[in-house]
């Protein structure tokens, strides 16, 4: 496989998937072990995942347009839609994590709601990645 804009997406896609899921793992551990260091690890891992996501999404759009021709057909491609939805949800969760840091620390209910939404967003990301692997005929 030669390196090109067309196939860069398949190289980059693993970074946000691994980082978002690792960040979620750190957050779950931090919640159940009441460990602030794990909470910080989850924060920084999520930040790096959010930084890597736009490159992956742009690479995916380039690959889609190159292989399928029309940008407007992208909205019928569920893999891309789910990736975008999960990334936007994770971005909102990251913002909430910063804005409501003290609320999450002292309110178990709010922290549990945050964790539930985080699990949901990563689950959507995983399902979207599965659909992408199917579309690329890798599974």
């Amino acid at each position: 496989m030669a390196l090109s804009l067309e196939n860069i997406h398949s190289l980059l896609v693993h970074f946000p998937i691994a980082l978002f899921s690792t960040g979620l793992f750190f957050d779950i551990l931090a919640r159940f072990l009441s460990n602030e260091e794990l909470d910080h690890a989850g924060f920084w891992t999520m930040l790096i995942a959010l930084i890597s996501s736009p490159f992956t999404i742009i690479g995916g759009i380039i690959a889609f347009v190159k292989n399928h021709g029309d940008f407007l057909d992208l909205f019928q491609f569920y893999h891309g839609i789910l990736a975008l939805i999960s990334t936007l949800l994770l971005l909102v969760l990251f913002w909430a994590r910063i804005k409501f840091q003290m609320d999450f620390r002292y309110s178990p209910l709010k922290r549990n709601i945050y964790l539930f939404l985080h699990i949901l967003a990563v689950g959507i990301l995983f399902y979207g990645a599965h659909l992408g692997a199917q579309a690329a005929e890798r599974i």
Side-chain angles (χ1 to χ4, degrees):
M1 171 165 68
L3 185 60
S4 69
L5 286 177
E6 178 182 345
N7 62 23
I8 197 95
H9 175 71
S10 62
L11 299 173
L12 295 176
V13 72
H14 301 94
F15 290 101
I17 293 170
L19 290 166
F20 280 129
S21 57
T22 302
L24 174 60
F25 179 69
F26 284 143
D27 285 347
I28 291 170
L29 284 178
R31 172 73 176 110
F32 289 113
L33 299 177
S34 298
N35 186 317
E36 191 172 335
E37 290 176 8
L38 288 170
D39 187 57
H40 292 308
F43 174 88
W44 290 108
T45 307
M46 193 175 192
L47 175 63
I48 299 301
L50 287 167
I51 291 170
S52 69
S53 292
F55 299 105
T56 304
I57 291 170
I58 290 168
I61 291 170
I62 290 169
F64 180 84
V65 170
K66 180 131 178 140
N67 290 328
H68 298 285
D70 192 4
F71 180 77
L72 294 177
D73 288 339
L74 186 63
F75 299 105
Q76 298 173 4
F77 194 49
Y78 296 121
H79 157 65
I81 292 170
L82 290 176
L84 193 56
I85 288 170
S86 64
T87 302
L88 290 175
L89 180 55
L90 287 158
L91 180 63
V92 168
L93 287 172
F94 188 73
W95 168 82
R97 181 180 195 141
I98 294 169
K99 176 103 172 127
F100 302 109
Q101 178 181 9
M102 297 309 282
D103 289 346
F104 290 159
R105 180 170 292 171
Y106 296 110
S107 172
L109 175 64
K110 290 178 183 176
R111 181 68 177 186
N112 289 339
I113 290 170
Y114 169 84
L115 277 176
F116 172 77
L117 292 173
H118 197 169
I119 291 167
L120 179 66
V122 171
I124 293 169
L125 180 69
F126 282 0
Y127 183 65
H130 170 74
L131 292 178
Q134 282 182 330
E137 297 177 353
R138 290 195 174 96
I139 57 170

